[in-house]
Amino acid sequence: MSEIEIRVRRFDAPESQALIRAALADLGRRYGGSGDETPVDAAEFEPPAGTFLVAYLDGQPVGCGGWRSHGDDGETAELKRMYTAPTARGRGVARAVLAAVEHSAREQGRKRIILECGDKQPEAIAMYTSAGYERIPNFGFYQDAPGCLSFGRPL
């Protein structure tokens, strides 16, 4: 089994953008449209306000995820753009990225992490709940959309 390597990458780097496009295409197949219309600026993922990570197997980018600051208190991170390529699923990539995102946010002083998810992502929901995430009141761009599920947990 290959070892998962996780590296900090710019949100707007070509590898990051290729994975993000794949993530949005996956969401588009599940929900329709472009997949996610949430306003996102690459600068939001620059330390110390956020970080973007890419996972590699055998030197190939196969997954990603990042966090950006949420709210004004400097204590909350929002998880964004979690994705694992279909060929790498079931190999622990998403859990490794999630752990690295949480570690990064904790290192930057965040005490809590939150995320928006949709009800047509059962794999993601199962992973988040098994990692200790609990339902919280909906927030963000899709807070009033049918099927929006928000989760959070302390760091």
Side-chain angles (χ1 to χ4, degrees):
M1 186 160 154
S2 299
E3 184 176 328
I4 300 164
E5 182 184 353
I6 298 178
R7 300 180 203 154
V8 174
R9 290 288 184 247
R10 289 183 52 87
F11 184 88
D12 56 2
E15 292 172 316
S16 302
Q17 285 297 300
L19 289 163
I20 291 166
R21 281 191 303 276
L24 294 175
D26 179 73
L27 292 172
R29 284 188 290 279
R30 293 173 194 244
Y31 299 102
S34 68
D36 187 351
E37 298 293 327
T38 304
V40 175
D41 183 338
E44 296 173 313
F45 296 89
E46 292 293 321
T51 300
F52 198 76
L53 303 164
V54 173
Y56 297 81
L57 280 175
D58 298 323
Q60 297 301 309
V62 296
C64 64
W67 68 272
R68 64 183 182 177
S69 295
H70 180 85
D72 296 327
D73 64 7
E75 294 189 353
T76 304
E78 180 185 6
L79 179 69
K80 291 299 295 176
R81 301 299 185 247
M82 279 287 295
Y83 176 73
T84 302
T87 57
R89 291 181 184 162
R91 298 173 70 182
V93 172
R95 287 190 185 278
V97 171
L98 182 61
V101 166
E102 291 172 346
H103 178 78
S104 170
R106 195 177 306 110
E107 280 189 326
Q108 295 297 331
R110 301 315 183 271
K111 295 180 177 14
R112 182 169 184 249
I113 189 163
I114 60 174
L115 65 96
E116 275 186 308
C117 188
D119 61 358
K120 294 179 182 175
Q121 295 168 265
E123 321 89 330
I125 294 165
M127 182 187 69
Y128 295 135
T129 57
S130 72
Y133 286 74
E134 296 180 350
R135 285 292 310 275
I136 61 171
N138 285 347
F139 71 95
F141 191 79
Y142 289 103
Q143 70 185 20
D144 296 322
C148 177
L149 304 170
S150 295
F151 294 87
R153 82 174 201 87
L155 292 171

